[in-house]
Amino acid sequence: MAALSYHEQKDIENVKHLRELIKELPPFCADFFRGIEPRTSSRTRIAYAYDLKVFFDFLLKENAYIKKLGMKDIQLSHLEQLQVVDLEEYMEYLKYRFNDKKQEVTNKERGIMRKISSLKSFYNYYFRNERIRYNPAALVQMPKLHDKDIIRLDVDEVALLLDEVESGDALTEKQKAFHAKTKLRDLALLTLMLGTGIRVSECVGLDVNDIDFKNGGIRIHRKGGKEVTVYFGSEVEDALQDYLAERNQIIPEEGHEDALFLSIQRKRISVRSVENLVKKYARLVTPLKKITPHKLRSTYGTNLYRETNDIYLVADVLGHSDVNTTKKHYAALEDERRRSARNKVKLREV
């Protein structure tokens, strides 16, 4: 039997984790997760499970009738007895609460919107399947979202970031000791993300044989499991070649032989480790901007759009299923482009 790929292994881990989360919910919830399984990824279903756990915890703490019950005693009939006001109270509860570990948890408008969206999907499933006759979630208005500034690196900041990764001059003495061992890896990783716009999860999932230097492409697995090829330029190629010369001298831990990017422990690098190294270098270059791997993706999308003026190409390269998602992220650049066009058309020759 062939060894499972990284993505297949992660999916199995997610499914196992999801099964444990479902056990913490009322029994009828299992039907919902079976129903949405063909249309959703395991990561999406895990997010639903966490959101629903928060909702049922709220009912057990705050609802006068349901608080007398245990989690396993909550019935589907209890859901349609709730009123819009109950769900509005839930929205208010989400702003500030304590979790099971007595830790403070706050949600801003986007976090609240996601949890209410999960709840609406949950109710819709049972209403559509005629398991409930009343759907109060359909009457709840979503919170108003305020536009957020898109944080990205400027062109000079990209150059400064890569220079810092290469030199390590601004690192502490302790960090410099690690930098000597990871410089080529870090430079290849950040150059790849800045030069292709791939997600951090797609980056850590890369295997050595996913790189095609002949055609200048890498094979990645998008959200939902779709396999696509993303192309890279000469700067990315040079950084990858330099790292691979070093990578080929490393003997990985068992089970991590195929991984492209390895940790100090010679295991496949984790998402958290990539997040930490991005923050480490970015803080040295632009301390006032909170740069994450996703901001590197935004930086690439911005640069690609400025060079091509093709929003559909940007959407395709970034793997957005809906071009409106891309337009929303790059609306400011759209306006900038429209302003620059105001003098392009001449009405009368001067």
Side-chain angles (χ1 to χ4, degrees):
M1 181 177 175
L4 295 175
S5 70
Y6 166 78
H7 303 281
E8 291 169 329
Q9 290 172 358
K10 289 300 292 184
D11 196 52
I12 289 173
E13 289 173 15
N14 286 342
V15 169
K16 289 179 178 178
H17 183 39
L18 178 62
R19 287 174 180 170
E20 293 305 310
L21 292 174
I22 292 173
K23 290 177 183 177
E24 299 177 15
L25 299 172
F28 64 86
C29 294
D31 299 335
F32 167 70
F33 287 98
R34 278 194 296 271
I36 64 172
E37 191 272 336
R39 307 186 306 279
T40 57
S41 69
S42 55
R43 288 175 61 190
T44 297
R45 295 195 297 280
I46 286 173
Y48 274 126
Y50 278 120
D51 290 346
L52 292 175
K53 178 68 163 53
V54 173
F55 174 64
F56 285 113
D57 282 343
F58 159 76
L59 293 179
L60 289 168
K61 291 176 184 175
E62 305 293 337
N63 186 273
Y65 178 73
I66 295 178
K67 66 173 22 176
K68 302 173 185 176
L69 307 174
M71 181 71 81
K72 297 299 181 181
D73 300 319
I74 299 175
Q75 302 294 316
L76 190 53
S77 59
H78 294 133
L79 288 185
E80 60 182 341
Q81 292 172 14
L82 297 177
Q83 302 297 313
V84 173
V85 67
D86 295 309
L87 303 188
E88 289 175 342
E89 286 177 1
Y90 173 54
M91 290 174 65
E92 179 64 27
Y93 168 83
L94 289 173
K95 292 180 181 178
Y96 177 80
R97 61 189 172 88
F98 286 90
N99 63 16
D100 294 340
K101 298 177 181 178
K102 307 300 181 184
Q103 298 168 323
E104 290 184 356
V105 179
T106 59
N107 279 286
K108 296 185 178 178
E109 52 193 23
R110 292 178 187 276
I112 294 172
M113 182 173 171
R114 196 199 80 176
K115 286 179 169 56
I116 297 302
S117 179
S118 296
L119 190 60
K120 281 177 174 281
S121 297
F122 184 64
Y123 263 97
N124 286 342
Y125 169 79
Y126 295 106
F127 186 73
R128 192 170 54 248
N129 286 280
E130 300 180 334
R131 300 274 299 278
I132 58 175
R133 290 174 295 175
Y134 174 60
N135 182 1
L139 304 175
V140 174
Q141 292 187 326
M142 297 293 270
K144 179 179 174 62
L145 285 183
H146 295 86
D147 291 335
K148 293 197 306 183
D149 289 336
I150 302 298
I151 298 173
R152 54 176 74 85
L153 292 171
D154 297 329
V155 174
D156 61 323
E157 290 172 335
V158 170
L160 288 171
L161 177 67
L162 295 178
D163 286 347
E164 182 55 44
V165 176
E166 202 161 23
S167 69
D169 289 341
L171 296 172
T172 65
E173 291 305 314
K174 184 178 180 180
Q175 288 174 328
K176 284 179 180 178
F178 284 100
H179 178 258
K181 302 174 184 177
T182 65
K183 178 178 76 170
L184 292 179
R185 182 204 68 187
D186 294 353
L187 187 59
L189 197 153
L190 290 179
T191 304
L192 177 63
M193 295 182 74
L194 283 164
T196 61
I198 61 174
R199 298 176 176 89
V200 62
S201 58
E202 296 163 351
C203 185
V204 302
L206 285 171
D207 289 337
V208 173
N209 61 8
D210 287 330
I211 307 175
D212 176 6
F213 285 113
K214 181 180 178 182
N215 295 298
I218 51 170
R219 179 177 57 207
I220 64 170
H221 290 79
R222 291 289 195 201
K223 288 197 300 186
K226 184 181 179 182
E227 190 178 285
V228 301
T229 298
V230 173
Y231 297 95
F232 54 78
S234 58
E235 290 177 286
V236 174
E237 179 178 354
D238 291 343
L240 286 173
Q241 291 280 23
D242 289 343
Y243 168 63
L244 280 172
E246 179 181 80
R247 165 69 178 80
N248 291 334
Q249 304 304 313
I250 300 172
I251 300 175
E253 288 289 314
E254 185 178 350
H256 300 266
E257 295 86 356
D258 297 329
L260 173 60
F261 293 113
L262 296 173
S263 66
I264 291 287
Q265 292 77 29
R266 295 179 286 119
K267 297 179 180 180
R268 184 184 295 273
I269 197 168
S270 67
V271 169
R272 177 63 59 85
S273 294
V274 175
E275 290 171 344
N276 288 339
L277 76 88
V278 168
K279 291 175 184 176
K280 177 180 72 175
Y281 290 116
R283 274 197 296 261
L284 301 174
V285 173
T286 176
L288 297 183
K289 291 182 179 179
K290 188 178 179 182
I291 300 299
T292 64
H294 194 74
K295 301 300 186 291
L296 302 187
R297 183 169 155 81
S298 295
T299 299
Y300 172 77
T302 299
N303 292 336
L304 181 61
Y305 184 56
R306 280 193 170 127
E307 290 295 323
T308 65
N309 288 332
D310 189 339
I311 200 70
Y312 293 94
L313 174 64
V314 176
D316 183 50
V317 172
L318 291 179
H320 290 163
S321 56
D322 184 353
V323 74
N324 288 317
T325 301
T326 320
K327 286 181 177 178
K328 181 176 65 177
H329 281 84
Y330 301 100
L333 294 180
E334 280 273 281
D335 188 56
E336 179 183 303
R337 189 169 68 90
R338 284 193 293 270
R339 285 200 308 273
S340 69
R342 65 186 185 275
N343 292 320
K344 297 294 185 185
V345 176
K346 302 297 183 184
L347 304 180
R348 292 189 293 176
E349 291 297 327
V350 178

